[in-house]
């Protein structure tokens, strides 16, 4: 499976690669643009506003300039109307709040892309995105917050209410870095698979369940989850983990910038990885399509060896 990351790829405003600043991430335009290519799913991030509307946005905070000063608000602390006031407006005559983005190293960038689009809700995504494409819905929570079960359950039920009403026969899977959210989503419904997201130990968290592939497997087996979405480097550092995941009858999908390299994706096909979340949708979707339709596993392995082995 090929999955479009935040639609047609995440926006890296600090990058020199214009492909990562082409289409506004997590937008209807981005999802439908990705859907024109041979992909199976689009991946996106869902949060719930203060007045209980599931919206599509990756960052925990949304920022803009206010009287010359950068100010940001937590997405979950504002109303739907406040959220939708950022960026291009759907209604004629409405003035937008130009968005700014603060990246991990503290730098602030104007959120400027070649093809912009309005922010959107989960309901709109169900209603307006090509129906043949599946949704990988990442349940987004803040790593810095300790959530009580009642809060998690409330948020998940709000999301499920929209999913149950509008999903119809669309393929869906849920995923989350928040282990308790993933486990609770599995308890709250049995219609859609739930995957645990992990970076496989590249960062260390207070919650040990997030710190290794081995812990991720344990979480899935104890909670009846269906699989793991891993940062791709963790798979390459520890290829035996794929075997253990498969032996445990779990699914394995990867994300990360290496998935924008066709050779890295080819290698994962050989390893048994079942899906890749990618930013460069046209290039990787085409590469996987060609492999799936024209190469046997033996031919792919030979082609890969010829490509990477020195003379």
């Amino acid at each position: 499976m090929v999955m479009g990351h935040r639609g047609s790829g995440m926006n890296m405003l600090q990058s020199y690669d214009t492909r990562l600043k082409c289409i506004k991430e997590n937008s209807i335009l981005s999802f439908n643009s990705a859907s024109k290519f041979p992909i199976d799913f689009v991946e996106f991030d869902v949060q719930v506003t203060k007045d209980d509307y599931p919206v599509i946005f990756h960052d925990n905070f949304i920022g803009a300039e206010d009287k010359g000063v950068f100010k940001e608000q937590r997405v979950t602390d504002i109303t739907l109307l406040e959220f939708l006031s950022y960026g291009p407006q759907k209604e004629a005559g409405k003035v937008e709040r130009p968005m700014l983005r603060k990246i991990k190293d503290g730098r602030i960038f104007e959120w400027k892309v070649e093809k912009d689009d309005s922010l959107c809700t989960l309901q709109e995504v169900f209603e307006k995105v090509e129906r043949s494409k599946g949704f990988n819905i990442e349940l987004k929570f803040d790593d810095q917050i300790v959530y009580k079960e009642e809060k998690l359950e409330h948020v998940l039920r709000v999301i499920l209410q929209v999913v149950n009403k509008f999903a119809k026969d669309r393929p869906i899977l849920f995923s989350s870095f928040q282990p308790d959210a993933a486990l609770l989503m599995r308890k709250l419904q049995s219609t859609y698979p739930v995957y645990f997201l992990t970076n496989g130990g590249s960062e260390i968290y207070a919650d040990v369940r997030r710190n290794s592939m081995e812990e991720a497997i344990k979480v899935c087996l104890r909670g009846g989850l269906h699989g793991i979405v891993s940062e791709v480097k963790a798979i390459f550092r520890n290829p035996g983990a794929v075997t253990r995941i498969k032996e445990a009858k779990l699914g394995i999908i990867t994300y990360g910038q290496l998935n924008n390299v066709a050779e890295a994706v080819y290698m994962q096909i050989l390893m048994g990885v079942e899906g890749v979340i990618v930013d460069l949708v046209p290039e990787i979707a085409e590469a996987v399509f060609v492999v799936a339709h024209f190469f046997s596993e033996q031919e792919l392995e030979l082609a890969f060896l010829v490509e990477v082995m020195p003379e």
Side-chain angles (χ1 to χ4, degrees), residues 8-260:
S8 295
M10 68 175 175
N11 295 155
M12 290 188 66
L13 304 176
Q14 71 275 29
S15 174
Y16 292 107
D17 190 337
T18 56
R19 294 174 297 180
L20 299 175
K21 296 181 282 190
C22 180
I23 302 175
K24 179 66 132 317
E25 69 177 37
N26 275 334
S27 67
I28 302 295
L29 175 62
S30 186
F31 302 139
N32 281 329
S33 296
S35 296
K36 295 175 182 176
F37 299 94
I39 66 170
D40 305 281
F41 283 72
V42 289
E43 181 272 352
F44 53 81
D45 310 272
V46 174
Q47 303 184 59
V48 173
T49 61
K50 184 172 69 173
D51 50 349
D52 284 346
Y53 285 92
V55 295
I56 313 302
F57 200 72
H58 172 270
D59 301 357
N60 296 314
F61 292 86
I62 188 168
E65 187 178 281
D66 183 14
K67 299 178 181 178
V69 178
F70 172 71
K71 290 190 176 179
E72 55 185 1
Q73 297 175 289
R74 188 180 291 279
V75 172
T76 55
D77 286 345
I78 60 177
T79 66
L80 176 63
L81 286 178
E82 289 173 307
F83 174 76
L84 295 177
S85 70
Y86 289 86
Q89 298 297 292
K90 297 182 181 73
E91 297 178 31
K94 265 198 170 183
V95 179
E96 68 174 91
R97 297 183 69 185
M99 290 171 58
L100 301 176
R101 185 179 219 172
K102 187 176 184 178
I103 63 173
K104 284 186 177 181
D105 64 11
R107 287 182 293 166
I108 297 170
F109 292 87
E110 181 182 0
W111 205 325
K112 194 172 184 179
V113 294
E114 183 181 332
K115 299 175 184 176
D116 211 343
D117 196 18
S118 306
L119 298 179
C120 60
T121 66
L122 180 60
Q123 178 177 333
E124 287 179 293
V125 174
F126 275 112
E127 293 174 332
K128 298 178 180 179
V129 174
E130 167 61 45
R131 289 203 167 272
S132 66
K133 302 305 177 184
F135 288 167
N136 176 353
I137 301 176
E138 181 183 339
L139 309 166
K140 189 78 179 179
F141 295 93
D142 192 334
D143 292 339
Q144 307 305 315
I145 295 177
V146 176
Y147 294 92
K148 294 182 178 179
E149 183 172 338
E150 305 85 64
K151 175 64 175 178
L152 289 176
E153 181 170 346
H154 175 77
V155 169
L156 297 181
R157 287 192 181 279
V158 168
I159 293 170
L160 274 174
Q161 187 174 13
V162 174
V163 172
N164 291 335
K165 184 174 181 179
F166 295 99
K168 298 182 180 177
D169 59 351
R170 189 190 297 272
I172 290 171
L173 67 86
F174 292 108
S175 60
S176 186
F177 282 104
Q178 221 291 351
D180 293 323
L183 294 168
L184 187 54
M185 181 57 90
R186 179 69 180 92
K187 290 180 181 178
L188 292 176
Q189 59 82 45
S190 58
T191 305
Y192 305 111
V194 182
Y195 279 57
F196 181 41
L197 267 158
T198 180
N199 59 31
S202 60
E203 294 181 59
I204 300 301
Y205 299 89
D207 189 334
V208 296
R209 295 174 295 177
R210 299 188 59 183
N211 291 339
S212 70
M213 293 298 294
E214 289 68 27
E215 287 294 332
I217 293 171
K218 290 179 187 177
V219 169
C220 291
L221 293 178
R222 289 171 182 167
L225 303 186
H226 299 83
I228 293 170
V229 182
S230 171
E231 213 288 332
V232 61
K233 290 179 183 176
I235 293 297
F236 286 141
R237 283 196 308 266
N238 184 10
V242 176
T243 303
R244 293 194 293 278
I245 290 167
K246 306 287 275 189
E247 288 174 347
K249 300 188 180 338
L250 299 171
I252 174 65
I253 298 167
T254 65
Y255 73 94
Q257 292 188 43
L258 268 180
N259 279 353
N260 297 320

Side-chain angles (χ1 to χ4, degrees), residues 256-275:
Q257 292 188 43
L258 268 180
N259 279 353
N260 297 320
V261 180
E263 289 78 12
V265 174
Y266 296 157
M267 188 62 187
Q268 291 177 76
I269 294 173
L270 292 173
M271 294 168 70
V273 171
E274 295 158 354

